[in-house]
């Protein structure tokens, strides 16, 4: 039924991110089965799927936290070459610290809770080689402002902040070095709806003003629909369908996607 | 005339997996559209008018056929074009106007209206100024401009929606009952804006509950009712 879509002809830039045939097993559990994805500069790819579909594993692979059993991953950046899964630990750490930002669902994964919020952001800049205190502080403050964090609280540790504010510190840390790719793993899950709306608004603004390329994973279809240009639906480690966000939600082709969309409140 | 759209043997159906059935929406539709032309889609409820609009916009995937769009960069088949190309065209060349506003939480009416201009590269302040102009034109009260439209009445939301959808002139405009439930003055403002865009070369395809609203704009009609006498009648110029 569905037609095979053509390669782009109008948008002549190459994809920023190309992942091919990524597979990963944890013991007997096949978490990813040949997942492929392309993301163009400035595009937002949303990944949806039920718990255990492999969507977070795939995102962690894109953040080079997981080494898949097979598959390749490239980023079209001037000084980045080859299959990123082949990089050693040091090269991975440098690449992730400088070119890729990530916001986790659980702020404990992304932040040091007892350090100051500004220090958490500055840590990113330190890894990238910045040593001048005034520059560190100034850049950290600007990143916190961009993620709409009240900067009079910038020296408070995340442990003293609300969940929404912790997510903003994570976001500031992720964008402090203007990454080429921003990965978001359930960034608003667990926040109450009004805080969720504020975080979504901040993300949308960053998208529009900075054209940051994003991959966002969520089981919340509303969040995905609000933020994404394109949507990829995963189930049991496989991509069952992908397309423009409004098309996947309005005219889902696969039985599983239909089930998922019809289950939305 | 400059050709904008060349639709060939377009068909659409829906597979409903949970019922294990397939429902046809329309089949074998062909027509062409030139710059500045206004095409009215007619047909009884369920004939597939809105479905055709959504298929042209690629919110729905065509089952078969071609939707050849003649853009500044050349001809592209919207039925098969890569997603990233469709996103690009939607930002710059193809607009879709419905009667429903997609408001985002905590985004003001004026910011929402200014968004298409900002995305096309206009500076923030100039875009906001334009946005206020169009909110005024469609009759949204100035005290609402900085408010969040999620709390507006249905009619007010629709006006914000129209201001947003029509702020940026595009090559092709798809109109899905934009006049439904509009008050008289907003309807007049809409018709004026559509006439202005049409004169500027925008090609339009529309579905209207009361086609009388846009009678002065209609160049041609297509009846989607199955077995309708005329599928496409180029001589049927109603102006």
């Amino acid at each position: 039924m569905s037609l095979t879509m053509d390669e782009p002809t109008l948008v002549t830039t190459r994809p920023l991110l190309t992942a091919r045939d990524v597979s990963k097993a944890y013991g007997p559990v096949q978490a990813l089965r040949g997942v492929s994805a392309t993301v163009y500069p400035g595009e937002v790819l949303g990944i949806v799927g039920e718990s255990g579909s492999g969507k977070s594993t795939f995102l962690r692979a894109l953040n080079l936290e997981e080494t898949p059993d097979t598959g390749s991953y490239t980023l079209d950046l001037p000084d980045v070459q080859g299959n990123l899964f082949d990089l050693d630990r040091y090269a991975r750490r440098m690449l992730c610290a400088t070119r890729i930002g990530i916001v986790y669902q659980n702020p404990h994964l992304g932040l040091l809770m007892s350090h100051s919020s500004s220090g958490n952001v500055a840590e990113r800049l330190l890894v990238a080689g910045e040593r001048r205190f005034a520059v560190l502080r100034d850049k950290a403050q600007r990143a916190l402002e961009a993620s709409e964090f009240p900067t009079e609280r910038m020296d408070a540790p995340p442990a003293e902040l609300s969940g929404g504010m912790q997510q903003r510190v994570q976001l500031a840390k992720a964008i402090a070095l203007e990454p080429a790719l921003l990965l978001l793993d359930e960034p608003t899950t667990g926040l109450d709806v009004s805080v969720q709306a504020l975080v979504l608004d901040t993300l949308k603004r960053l998208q529009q003003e900075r054209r940051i390329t994003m991959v966002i994973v969520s089981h919340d279809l509303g969040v995905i629909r609000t933020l994404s240009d394109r949507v990829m639906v995963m189930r049991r480690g496989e991509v069952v369908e992908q397309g423009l966000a409004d098309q996947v939600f309005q005219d889902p082709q696969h039985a599983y996607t239909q089930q998922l969309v019809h289950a939305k409140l | 005339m400059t050709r904008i759209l060349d639709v060939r043997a377009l068909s659409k159906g829906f597979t409903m997996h949970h019922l294990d059935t397939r429902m046809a929406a329309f089949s074998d539709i062909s027509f062409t559209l030139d710059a500045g032309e206004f095409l009215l889609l007619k047909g009884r409820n369920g004939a597939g008018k809105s479905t055709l609009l959504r298929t042209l916009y690629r919110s729905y995937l065509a089952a078969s056929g071609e939707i050849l769009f003649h853009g500044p960069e050349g001809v592209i088949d919207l039925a098969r074009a890569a997603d990233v190309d469709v996103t690009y065209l939607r930002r710059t060349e193809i607009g879709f106007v419905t009667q429903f506003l997609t408001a985002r939480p905590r985004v003001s009416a004026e910011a929402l209206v200014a968004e298409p201009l900002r995305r096309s590269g206009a500076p923030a302040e100039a875009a906001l100024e334009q946005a206020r102009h169009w909110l005024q034109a469609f009759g949204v009260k100035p005290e609402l401009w900085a408010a969040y439209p999620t709390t507006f009445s249905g009619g007010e939301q629709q006006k914000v929606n129209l201001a947003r959808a029509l702020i940026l002139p595009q090559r092709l405009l798809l109109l899905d009952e934009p006049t439904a439930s509009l008050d008289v003055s907003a309807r007049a403002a809409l018709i004026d804006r559509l006439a202005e865009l049409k004169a500027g070369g925008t090609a339009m395809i529309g579905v209207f509950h009361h086609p009388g609203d846009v009678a002065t704009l209609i160049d041609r009609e297509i009846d989607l009712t199955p077995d309708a006498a005329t599928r496409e009648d180029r001589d049927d110029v109603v102006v």
Side-chain angles (χ1 to χ4, degrees), chain A residues 6 9 11 246 251 253 258, chain B residues 12 15 17 59 61 80 85:
Chain A
D6 292 342
T9 53
V11 176
D246 57 324
D251 188 19
Q253 306 293 305
Q258 290 191 359
Chain B
K12 172 65 189 162
T15 305
H17 291 283
S59 292
L61 284 180
R80 301 173 49 88
D85 283 340

Side-chain angles (χ1 to χ4, degrees), chain A residues 75-223:
Chain A
L75 287 178
D76 185 30
L77 295 171
D79 48 350
V80 178
Q81 268 111 35
N83 182 358
L84 304 183
F85 294 139
D86 294 337
L87 295 178
D88 62 30
R89 273 185 60 174
Y90 176 75
R92 281 180 182 216
R93 180 152 188 254
M94 283 314 290
L95 182 69
C96 289
T98 55
R99 315 309 289 270
I100 304 175
I102 187 161
V103 174
Y104 297 96
Q105 175 183 354
N106 180 353
H108 287 263
L109 285 175
L111 299 175
L112 294 163
M113 285 294 161
S114 54
H115 286 49
S116 69
S117 296
S118 51
N120 268 283
V121 179
E123 189 247 7
R124 253 300 153 103
L125 305 161
L126 278 166
V127 174
E130 183 56 64
R131 291 289 181 273
R132 292 163 296 175
F133 180 78
V135 176
L136 283 170
R137 185 143 180 98
D138 179 55
K139 284 195 172 172
Q141 177 164 353
R142 272 190 278 141
L144 285 162
E145 273 164 8
S147 68
E148 288 162 8
F149 181 88
T151 43
E152 66 274 13
R153 300 274 287 141
M154 68 187 268
D155 294 322
E160 291 176 11
L161 301 171
S162 68
M165 284 302 145
Q166 290 176 354
Q167 290 309 67
R168 287 179 189 281
V169 179
Q170 276 208 80
L171 187 58
K173 183 179 171 183
I175 61 170
L177 284 167
E178 310 239 327
L181 177 66
L182 180 59
L183 306 171
L184 301 148
D185 189 7
E186 305 270 7
T188 60
T189 305
L191 302 177
D192 72 65
V193 284
S194 90
V195 177
Q196 172 169 316
L198 289 169
V199 174
L200 286 181
D201 188 35
T202 304
L203 289 171
K204 195 83 195 173
R205 204 176 42 72
L206 285 173
Q207 249 173 47
Q208 281 169 7
E209 287 173 7
R210 303 194 179 194
R211 308 278 294 138
I212 302 181
T213 309
M214 299 187 191
V215 179
I216 172 165
V217 160
S218 182
H219 67 263
D220 186 330
L221 301 185
V223 167

Side-chain angles (χ1 to χ4, degrees), chain B residues 63-75:
Chain B
S64 59
E66 292 178 323
I67 307 164
L68 302 177
F69 175 74
H70 300 244
E73 288 99 344
V75 182

Side-chain angles (χ1 to χ4, degrees), chain A residues 224-239:
Chain A
I224 292 292
R225 195 170 182 164
T226 306
L227 293 177
S228 311
D229 297 312
R230 262 186 324 119
V231 169
M232 186 163 112
V233 184
M234 288 186 67
R235 189 193 193 198
R236 293 181 192 153
E238 278 177 312
V239 178

